[in-house]
Amino acid sequence: MAGWMWLRCVLGPHLQRIHRSPDQSRPEGRAGRGGWNYQPRSLEKHTDSILSWASALWSLSYYSSPLLLCYLYRKGYICSSKLVPVSQYVGTVLVCLLGVACLRGESLLTLRQLCYDFDFSHWPSDFSWSEVSSPKLSKAGVSLLKPEPRLRGAADSVLNSVRTLPCHIISFLIAHSFGRRMLYPGSVGLLQKAMRPMLQQGMAKLIEEFDGQRNKLVACDGNEIDTMFVDRRRDGGRNGQTLVICCEGNAGFYEVGCMNTPLEGGYSVLGWNHPGFGGSTGVPFPQNEANAMDVVIQFAIHELGFQFSDIVVYAWSIGGFTASWAVMSYPEIQSLVLDASFDDLLPLALKVMPDSWRPLVQHTVRQYMNLNNAEQLLKYQGPVLLIRRTRDEIITTTGPEDVMSNRGNDLLLKLLQFRYPKIMTDEGIRVVRQWLGASNHLEEASVYSGYEVDDDWCVSVLQSYQADRDVLFPWSVGEDMTLEGRRQLALFLARKYMRNFETTHCTPLPASEFHSPWRL
């Protein structure tokens, strides 16, 4: 038995933190919380350091192996007379590393009775997609909206395929190398390693102060998704009965991300990390992202006991893709809040790439990174709130000083044009654009009052239309209305669907700015 425990310590995960148990008193102040960080003893510290350096050298050798092999071949080192001594040296190093691992296991053996936070790869699975869905559907993953193919003749299609083959190959290489890492920098191991102390501190806060529950979910593609759930239903507050599912940005983690906003508002919250982020496995391509979001929703319904009508999906930045996919795929979800999000990735990708690469960028985005938020959002019939950062430097196509280049504007216009096509005529679009050009609340109020918008009248018109017809969007309200009436309705709807927040892209959203979307 002792030998088995020792072997588990040798092969086991790195220990990261001692979490306070419920019967222990709460440490006071920042120094008190810091006292719960796991401090390895001397032997464990040195052996872990040696194994970390060995791991880093192995990674460096692995990625540089093609160049290294070419160099050794040109120098004549790849022959039996040279390889035998090298293999002896390598064997000696491996034996030494095995001895170091054994010493590390011996150091951990006496500490096995304590409660630690450890590497998530060793965490047992808490919920699997296959528990509630057919395993036969898992190979292809959940459904995504695909770009419509161009109609061509058979011969033309074959010739076009041959002609565009180099473009396909280059697009594949770009998407699976630096493209994916540029789009989701949080998946880069070096960045995660630099952020590890901050992530560990955020994890400790969620578990020790908010009684958070960490779970591992297995998606239909086999990826393991790292989640954190904070249950406020027992607190008795009205907000605690609502579950807010948070979708992070491209360098965001639930440990330090947008989860804090609904937590401060008293909501029950479920956060999760993108595939390849934190404890989640895989890579954050759109299909994997949607698969991950799907198992998170299934977990909330079947394991946590929430109804779709209890769920609000809240997303920041690039998280708008999985959030819009969720409400498109599960239209019974109560509502959607999108903060600092965009309508389509392509304009933003074209902004940062050379103009000469335009056809290649278009092909790469549409084939491998098609984050078509607006297209998915139009499939949802429920309440929506868009939060626009008026000094956003990330989702603008020119610069933060040009608020009209913010792609959140395009997301709003596409949503209003789809839902209220008779109101959003050329004149309706013009006045909404004028309102969107306001960079602060005073300018916004000036535009609104300039058109003498009567809020009570607008509400009565929309309620009357809804009561008489009770139809799904798009609505034909405004069809027989005067130009002045359509202008008022256009501005009224724009202000109900979008709220401005006068700050930059990465500023945390205060709880006071997090509201339930407007509904009639």
Side-chain angles (χ1 to χ4, degrees):
M1 184 65 180
W4 172 245
M5 288 299 300
W6 174 78
L7 182 62
R8 291 182 65 186
C9 288
V10 171
L11 303 177
H14 290 284
L15 303 184
Q16 297 172 351
R17 185 177 178 86
I18 309 172
H19 284 307
R20 186 181 64 251
S21 60
D23 58 341
Q24 290 176 292
S25 61
R26 181 186 300 272
E28 296 182 1
R30 300 181 66 88
R33 288 200 298 269
W36 292 91
N37 285 329
Y38 173 66
Q39 298 296 332
R41 294 184 301 176
S42 178
L43 180 60
E44 183 189 348
K45 180 179 180 180
H46 293 307
T47 53
D48 266 343
S49 178
I50 293 172
L51 293 175
S52 296
W53 275 105
S55 176
L57 290 174
W58 166 250
S59 298
L60 181 63
S61 302
Y62 177 81
Y63 288 111
S64 62
S65 57
L67 297 176
L68 184 61
L69 289 174
C70 290
Y71 175 79
L72 294 176
Y73 178 77
R74 293 184 62 181
K75 293 294 184 179
Y77 288 112
I78 302 182
C79 60
S80 58
S81 61
K82 301 287 186 180
L83 290 178
V84 172
V86 171
S87 63
Q88 293 175 345
Y89 293 136
V90 171
T92 303
V93 171
L94 291 177
V95 170
C96 292
L97 290 176
L98 179 60
V100 170
C102 291
L103 289 174
R104 174 179 175 271
E106 184 67 28
S107 174
L108 294 175
L109 185 60
T110 58
L111 304 175
R112 64 183 183 273
Q113 298 299 327
L114 294 177
C115 178
Y116 292 95
D117 183 21
F118 51 88
D119 289 344
F120 199 64
S121 59
H122 294 259
W123 196 281
S125 171
D126 297 294
F127 180 81
S128 175
W129 184 88
S130 60
E131 294 178 19
V132 294
S133 302
S134 171
K136 296 180 180 179
L137 303 176
S138 62
K139 290 185 178 180
V142 298
S143 60
L144 293 178
L145 294 178
K146 303 292 185 181
E148 294 185 4
R150 297 178 181 178
L151 298 177
R152 296 177 179 271
D156 189 29
S157 296
V158 173
L159 291 174
N160 184 68
S161 299
V162 173
R163 182 173 58 85
T164 58
L165 181 60
C167 182
H168 283 275
I169 294 174
I170 296 172
S171 292
F172 178 86
L173 294 175
I174 290 175
H176 288 79
S177 57
F178 69 87
R180 185 256 299 174
R181 290 168 175 83
M182 287 179 61
L183 186 59
Y184 288 94
S187 65
V188 178
L190 187 61
L191 177 62
Q192 293 191 37
K193 188 172 183 179
M195 294 183 64
R196 186 171 298 164
M198 186 189 306
L199 298 180
Q200 289 177 352
Q201 185 178 2
M203 173 79 70
K205 179 179 178 181
L206 291 171
I207 293 176
E208 297 173 8
E209 297 186 14
F210 293 100
D211 195 22
Q213 171 187 325
R214 194 181 188 189
N215 295 103
K216 176 186 283 189
L217 316 183
V218 180
C220 62
D221 52 14
N223 284 335
E224 298 171 347
I225 307 303
D226 184 5
T227 70
M228 178 64 69
F229 172 56
V230 176
D231 193 352
R232 296 283 184 73
R233 287 172 289 188
R234 297 185 297 271
D235 296 347
R238 182 173 59 87
N239 288 348
Q241 307 306 310
T242 298
L243 175 67
V244 179
I245 298 180
C246 298
C247 304
E248 300 290 345
N250 64 354
F253 302 80
Y254 71 68
E255 293 91 334
V256 292
C258 62
M259 266 190 77
N260 290 303
T261 297
L263 277 177
E264 292 175 8
Y267 293 90
S268 294
V269 184
L270 177 58
W272 60 282
N273 280 331
H274 298 282
F277 284 56
S280 298
T281 63
V283 288
F285 283 109
Q287 183 66 65
N288 297 345
E289 288 275 288
N291 295 341
M293 186 65 187
D294 188 63
V295 76
V296 169
I297 295 175
Q298 298 289 353
F299 176 70
I301 297 297
H302 296 283
E303 192 71 17
L304 301 181
F306 287 93
Q307 303 296 319
F308 284 113
S309 58
D310 300 326
I311 295 176
V312 175
V313 180
Y314 167 48
W316 173 63
S317 190
I318 208 170
F321 171 74
T322 47
S324 58
W325 179 89
V327 295
M328 173 189 72
S329 304
Y330 297 95
E332 306 94 337
I333 286 175
Q334 181 194 124
S335 57
L336 172 68
V337 179
L338 296 179
D339 177 17
S341 197
F342 52 87
D343 62 323
D344 188 8
L345 177 65
L346 183 57
L348 299 174
L350 292 172
K351 176 186 74 169
V352 299
M353 302 303 287
D355 288 339
S356 58
W357 288 32
R358 190 180 186 89
L360 183 62
V361 172
Q362 289 178 331
H363 185 271
T364 303
V365 168
R366 290 293 179 237
Q367 290 297 317
Y368 300 103
M369 300 172 178
N370 190 32
L371 305 187
N372 49 345
N373 299 353
E375 189 179 3
Q376 294 182 149
L377 182 58
L378 299 188
K379 305 292 184 181
Y380 178 56
Q381 294 284 325
V384 177
L385 174 62
L386 307 178
I387 300 174
R388 183 182 67 160
R389 311 293 185 99
T390 57
R391 298 198 297 273
D392 199 309
E393 72 282 13
I394 302 298
I395 64 167
T396 49
T397 53
T398 56
E401 68 284 346
D402 183 11
V403 70
M404 287 305 295
S405 69
N406 189 310
R407 296 304 300 189
N409 301 337
D410 300 86
L411 185 58
L412 173 68
L413 288 170
K414 289 176 181 178
L415 180 62
L416 293 181
Q417 284 179 277
F418 171 76
R419 291 191 170 190
Y420 311 98
K422 303 302 181 182
I423 295 173
M424 296 302 294
T425 58
D426 290 344
E427 186 62 21
I429 294 173
R430 186 188 68 78
V431 296
V432 171
R433 285 189 178 277
Q434 185 179 349
W435 179 80
L436 289 170
S439 58
N440 56 60
H441 291 301
L442 290 177
E443 293 181 14
E444 178 186 332
S446 175
V447 173
Y448 203 75
S449 60
Y451 285 95
E452 300 180 347
V453 180
D454 186 340
D455 289 1
D456 293 336
W457 176 81
C458 292
V459 170
S460 66
V461 169
L462 294 172
Q463 286 180 338
S464 175
Y465 179 90
Q466 184 185 51
D468 292 343
R469 295 165 179 81
D470 192 23
V471 295
L472 299 177
F473 295 114
W475 287 5
S476 61
V477 59
E479 189 172 19
D480 301 322
M481 193 172 291
T482 63
L483 182 61
E484 180 186 356
R486 288 199 296 269
R487 286 173 178 169
Q488 288 195 45
L489 281 171
L491 285 174
F492 173 81
L493 291 168
R495 196 168 73 161
K496 290 299 183 183
Y497 277 88
M498 175 176 277
R499 296 178 65 91
N500 282 329
F501 182 36
E502 296 178 25
T503 188
T504 56
H505 186 80
C506 296
T507 303
L509 186 72
S512 59
E513 294 291 331
F514 184 83
H515 303 280
S516 296
W518 168 78
R519 64 180 69 212
L520 280 174

